[in-house]
Amino acid sequence: MQAFVLLGSLAIGLYVCYRLVQPFLPALAWGLALAVVGSPVHKVVRRRLPYPTLAAALTVLIIAVVVIAPIVFVTHQLVRQARETIGALQHTATTGGWREALESQPRLAAVVSWIESEIPLDKMLPRLGEYLQQWGPAVVMGSLAAVIQLLITVLVLFYFFRDKRDLTADVRSVLPLSERETDTVIRH
């Protein structure tokens, strides 16, 4: 009976630990992926700089400039373009300009008249703008969460580079392989 209680406690403890780590798993995965991709760069930097902390910081800076900065720039441009498009759609919906634009296309006129007979576009388009305005805070919160994940990724990347030897030694100690097999799997 005591064994079942211990196993149940262990299962609950492992589940709680998993739930604590779960929000950080994407950042850990990205940090590990960037560490693998940036490993050759870090080797070059590490040979030139004798200080592990400085070498790790410089490598993270290089990776941030080469990989992360373009992603942030493209994301910013996409958000800006989406905001401008939403503003233009709202303006067009409130002024009725969308109807004039569609009526100027003879092939679309029949499709538009059929759609209007089935769906009241005059009432739905202004609601779409309201819906998008309500959706805005969720986008801001999602963006904030993405920034936090990015910061955690950069921090994890730094520690992966700085503490690589210690991490490798820890992984080696728990692998159920012989020394020769471990050397094959994990190469410095």
Side-chain angles (χ1 to χ4, degrees):
M1 182 66 177
Q2 186 179 8
F4 289 122
V5 171
L6 288 175
L7 281 175
S9 298
L10 176 66
I12 291 170
L14 288 174
Y15 176 73
V16 168
C17 288
Y18 166 74
R19 294 293 294 185
L20 285 171
V21 172
Q22 184 183 13
F24 303 105
L25 288 178
L28 289 169
W30 276 108
L32 181 61
L34 289 172
V36 169
V37 169
S39 182
V41 174
H42 182 64
K43 285 180 184 176
V44 170
V45 171
R46 183 73 177 103
R47 274 190 232 123
R48 299 194 192 281
L49 292 174
Y51 306 107
T53 303
L54 186 59
L58 185 59
T59 305
V60 168
L61 182 65
I62 292 169
I63 290 174
V65 168
V66 172
V67 176
I68 297 172
I71 291 171
V72 169
F73 175 74
V74 168
T75 304
H76 172 70
Q77 292 300 319
L78 286 173
V79 168
R80 186 181 61 78
Q81 190 69 34
R83 186 177 54 232
E84 290 174 5
T85 302
I86 289 169
L89 283 174
Q90 284 179 329
H91 177 64
T92 304
T94 56
T95 61
W98 63 274
R99 183 179 304 282
E100 295 169 8
L102 289 175
E103 288 175 354
S104 68
Q105 303 292 324
R107 292 182 182 171
L108 293 178
V111 175
V112 170
S113 64
W114 177 78
I115 290 174
E116 284 182 331
S117 68
E118 299 294 322
I119 302 170
L121 290 178
D122 291 337
K123 295 177 184 174
M124 291 190 72
L125 287 176
R127 282 196 214 154
L128 177 65
E130 293 171 10
Y131 172 74
L132 292 175
Q133 285 178 345
Q134 292 172 352
W135 185 57
V139 171
V140 170
M141 289 304 292
S143 299
L144 183 61
V147 167
I148 291 170
Q149 286 284 341
L150 180 65
L151 292 174
I152 293 170
T153 299
V154 169
L155 187 68
V156 165
L157 181 62
F158 171 77
Y159 283 108
F160 276 156
F161 285 138
R162 192 190 77 173
D163 301 333
K164 178 184 177 187
R165 295 194 193 290
D166 294 336
L167 290 171
T168 304
D170 290 343
V171 169
R172 284 174 165 277
S173 69
V174 297
L175 285 178
L177 302 172
S178 69
E179 190 69 30
R180 195 171 116 270
E181 292 169 332
T182 303
D183 287 340
T184 304
V185 172
I186 300 175
R187 294 184 198 126
H188 284 94

